[in-house]
Structures are given as structure tokens and as C-alpha cells.
Amino acid sequence: METPALPRRLALTAGCNQLINWGISFYMPGTFAQAISADRGWSSPQIYLGLTLAMLVMAAVSPFVARLLARFGGQKVVMSGTLLIAISCAGMAYTQTFFGWYCAWLVTGVGMRLSLYDALFAALVNLYGQQARRTISRVTLAGGLASAVFWPLGDSLLHIMGWQDALRVYALFGLLSAVLIRTLPRQRLTVTTKVTAPPLNNERRNGWLYAAFIALITFVSNGTSTHLPEFIESFGLPVAIGMLWGIGQTGARALEVLAGARLTPFALTLFTALAMPLCFLLGISSALFVWCAAGFVLGYGAINGLVTIVKATLPLELFSAESYARRTGMLLIPGQLMAAASPFAYAWFNKTLGIAGAMWVSTGLTLVIAGLAIAIVRRPGRQTVSHCIKQSTLTNGYKTPPPANISDT
């Protein structure tokens, strides 16, 4: 059975779906926390604890996503997750207690894991295999605009209505997002072409390296972005400098889309990882040259934009497309746990070591990340799954018999 052709509208509709889903879930507290605190009398940590709980739920649900995709298909899974986020937004608008607030965030966590990048990308790979890479890059380009769109949108809503009504508007956006994802085909690809998988030892080694790489890079990226305003303010710069983060993120993703197949996942991984310590050294230099702070915000925003693409496309080189959802579902769990822990960890770093000390800790971690990237790219027996698929396509021209199948481990 041949891989189906990608619908032309899919990148646009799936990108808008991700833009909305991120905007009404992950980025929502950044806009509404102050208004909620003023109305309910809750502290900022109490409000943001809901988002932390959601991230923990994402890690707990992660092992089951591959089974859900296999049983119900990508459209139903992503649409269900989107609807759960919409329902939780409506629930938050009506809740009067911490218990109700946190219960709504638990529902949000399930919805986020079923409808954000990781699940959508797994569904695209299930359907379209290696050719899903270009669509993945385009989807991240649209999704990267979520903060740029929904932070000002949420602020505008708060000027004309209360935060409860604004959350109900967000719920309506969630319904629109669920309609948009209907362009994703219902069925999943039934793979009949047999491909040669890498040896068992390589698979395990790749899995450990990938899990450690993503966990550390998520810890640093999430912690840095959460406390970015503190970094900017520590150098006496206007908070508006933070806009450079979004510019760098979107610009880097746009360049990756333009580069296309010329920039392989391995090359992108290596470039991103090696650029991280250099960028943090630039940030540390802000104590001597204030303009370095702006350069750091722009540069690390670009790196953060590329990290999302690396996380999605690197497994296509390390594992078979058929095992993409199952393997990423398990291997991303450490990263999701680190994402939940990073805001608190970086708050402790900043308080105990100061901004400069936290930057040095990050620099040390990025050196480890760079080492892991080199180990992944230069691993032994570097005959990737994508290479095997290409070879299978060439040899299946009925001139030579197809390679023997080695089942997934």
C-alpha cells in the first residue's frame, strides 16, 4: 500500500489548530493570572500550580497515546484532546474553589497530551511516514505564534469583559480548533512494506540518548523561558525586549522550512545543540555589555524554536515510522517531568545563585546536551531507518527481492 498524499490544506489547518490549542492552554495563565488573583485572592504560585499539574498528567498519559492513535486514528485523538481543553476552559470560568481549579487543569493536561505537538506529529508520521517532516516544520511555524497572538488577544478581552467571560471565549476558540483538525484523515496508514530496522542494541542506545537529550534540553528551555522577564529586568531593559524571543523563534522555524530537505534532522540537531552553550555565554556577557542580553533573548528564542522541530524529526532518523508513536510516547516522559520541575528549579537557582549563577548552571547543562547530540549523530552502525526505507524503495523496483523484516523491539 502506497503512502497517501498529504492534503494541501493540512499544514494550514493543523497549524491553526496548534496555535489555538497552545494559546488557550499553556499560554493562558500568563495573560489571566493577575486578573484571577485580583478576583479570587489566590497567589500566583497557587494559580500556576495548575499548569504544573497539567504537565505531570501529560507525562502520566504519555504511554497510552500510541495505543489510542492505533485504535482510533489521529483525527479522533487530536480532536478529543482539543475538546477536553475547551471543556476545561469553560470549567475554569465557573469554578469557585482551588479543588475545581486544579481538577480543570487535570482535564487540561489530558487534553494537552492528546492534542499538542507530540500527539499530532505522531499521527502525521503514522499516516505519511517520512514525508510528514515538511508538514511538521510548517505546523511548528504556525504554532510558534501562539504567544504572539493569544497574549495580546487575552489582554484585549480582559479590557472589555471579566476573566470568566474571556475563558468562555477561549472555550469557543477550542471548538473552532476541533473543527479545523477534521482535515486530518481518520484512518491511520497500514504499512505493508517491510523495512530493515537497526539492531536491537542500537535501538536501545538511541532511545536512551534521545530521552536524555530531550529531557535536558526541555529542562533548560522551559526554565529559561519561564523566567525570561527576570533576566531582562535584571539588566534594566524594558520587558518589551521579550518580543525578540518570539521573533527569533518564528524566524528560525521559517528558515528551517525554507531549507527543506537540505537540512537533515541530524544536522539540525547538531547545530541546535552546539549553538546552545554559545548563546548562554553571550547571555553571561550581558554583565559587561548590555546589548548581549538582547542578543541572548533573540538567539535563544531561535534555538527554542528549533528544539521543537528537533524533538519531532530526530526520531524519524533513529526509529522506524511504524514505531514513532510508541517510542516517543515513552521516551518523552522524562522531558515532560523535567518541564514540570524546571520553573521551580530555576526559581531556586535565581534566588540562591543569582541570575548570573543560574546562567552558568545552564551553560554547564548545555555542554552536556552538546555532548549527547554528538553521541547521537556519531553513534556506531550509523545506518538510519530513513536510509533503510530509501534502500527498500529502491530495491523494491522488482529487480531485487525486498529485505527481510526484523520486527520492532
Side-chain angles (χ1 to χ4, degrees):
M1 177 179 177
E2 293 184 359
T3 303
L6 276 159
R8 293 183 178 180
R9 296 183 300 162
L10 183 57
L12 175 61
T13 55
C16 291
N17 166 267
Q18 291 301 292
L19 186 152
I20 294 173
N21 289 358
W22 280 98
I24 66 177
S25 59
F26 186 84
Y27 291 109
M28 183 273 288
T31 309
F32 292 170
Q34 187 173 354
I36 295 172
S37 178
D39 182 52
R40 292 282 189 253
W42 301 343
S43 68
S44 180
Q46 290 173 323
I47 294 171
Y48 275 94
L49 179 59
L51 181 57
T52 299
L53 292 175
M55 291 180 179
L56 292 175
V57 170
M58 289 177 69
V61 173
S62 196
F64 307 102
V65 174
R67 298 178 190 175
L68 293 174
L69 289 171
R71 182 169 182 178
F72 299 107
Q75 186 199 86
K76 289 184 178 180
V77 170
V78 178
M79 184 180 292
S80 298
T82 302
L83 291 174
L84 285 176
I85 293 176
I87 291 170
S88 66
C89 284
M92 291 177 195
Y94 289 100
T95 186
Q96 302 286 329
T97 64
F98 279 130
F99 178 78
W101 176 256
Y102 293 142
C103 284
W105 274 107
L106 294 177
V107 175
T108 303
V110 178
M112 289 170 70
R113 185 58 186 91
L114 297 183
S115 67
L116 295 185
Y117 285 147
D118 298 331
L120 175 63
F121 295 162
L124 290 173
V125 172
N126 272 352
L127 283 165
Y128 305 111
Q130 292 288 327
Q131 66 171 312
R133 184 194 164 193
R134 177 177 291 185
T135 299
I136 287 173
S137 297
R138 291 174 176 174
V139 169
T140 63
L141 182 61
L145 298 173
S147 60
V149 172
F150 274 86
W151 278 344
L153 174 62
D155 185 66
S156 298
L157 290 174
L158 290 176
H159 279 85
I160 59 177
M161 63 182 70
W163 65 269
Q164 295 98 329
D165 289 333
L167 275 175
R168 295 183 186 105
V169 173
Y170 271 31
L172 293 177
F173 272 109
L175 297 179
L176 171 62
S177 182
V179 172
L180 289 172
I181 205 60
R182 286 178 62 86
T183 55
L184 186 68
R186 292 185 179 182
Q187 77 278 8
R188 66 180 298 273
L189 177 64
T190 302
V191 179
T192 57
T193 302
K194 301 179 186 298
V195 300
T196 302
L200 176 60
N201 289 340
N202 270 358
E203 286 274 319
R204 288 179 176 174
R205 183 176 183 275
N206 293 344
W208 283 109
L209 287 173
Y210 175 79
F213 175 75
I214 294 301
L216 282 180
I217 210 168
T218 300
F219 180 78
V220 174
S221 295
N222 201 59
T224 300
S225 60
T226 302
H227 295 276
L228 187 65
E230 295 177 38
F231 171 83
I232 295 173
E233 291 174 6
S234 68
F235 294 102
L237 296 173
V239 178
I241 291 293
M243 293 178 62
L244 293 175
W245 177 278
I247 294 172
Q249 182 170 260
T250 304
R253 289 176 178 174
L255 291 175
E256 195 278 337
V257 170
L258 293 174
R262 290 170 292 181
L263 184 62
T264 67
F266 280 132
L268 182 63
T269 298
L270 195 58
F271 171 80
T272 303
L274 294 178
M276 291 182 73
L278 297 176
C279 193
F280 273 99
L281 287 175
L282 180 65
I284 292 171
S285 301
S286 302
L288 299 175
F289 307 102
V290 176
W291 60 267
C292 289
F296 168 77
V297 174
L298 177 66
Y300 202 75
I303 290 172
N304 194 63
L306 296 178
V307 164
T308 301
I309 301 175
V310 167
K311 186 169 69 170
T313 58
L314 184 56
L316 285 171
E317 296 292 322
L318 300 177
F319 315 113
S320 66
E322 295 86 352
S323 67
Y324 182 100
R326 177 171 60 85
R327 291 194 179 280
T328 55
M330 295 299 297
L331 297 176
L332 291 176
I333 292 176
Q336 290 159 352
L337 293 175
M338 294 294 261
S342 60
F344 296 96
Y346 268 79
W348 185 86
F349 290 153
N350 289 340
K351 182 178 180 180
T352 307
L353 306 175
I355 298 294
M359 294 290 286
W360 277 112
V361 171
S362 297
T363 303
L365 291 174
T366 57
L367 290 174
V368 178
I369 290 169
L372 289 170
I374 293 172
I376 290 172
V377 173
R378 299 186 63 181
R379 69 193 191 281
R382 185 183 169 184
Q383 186 179 21
T384 65
V385 173
S386 62
H387 172 75
C388 294
I389 292 172
K390 292 175 183 176
Q391 287 298 109
S392 176
T393 303
L394 291 174
T395 56
N396 282 343
Y398 305 109
K399 292 182 180 181
T400 58
N405 178 53
I406 300 177
S407 60
D408 248 345
T409 57

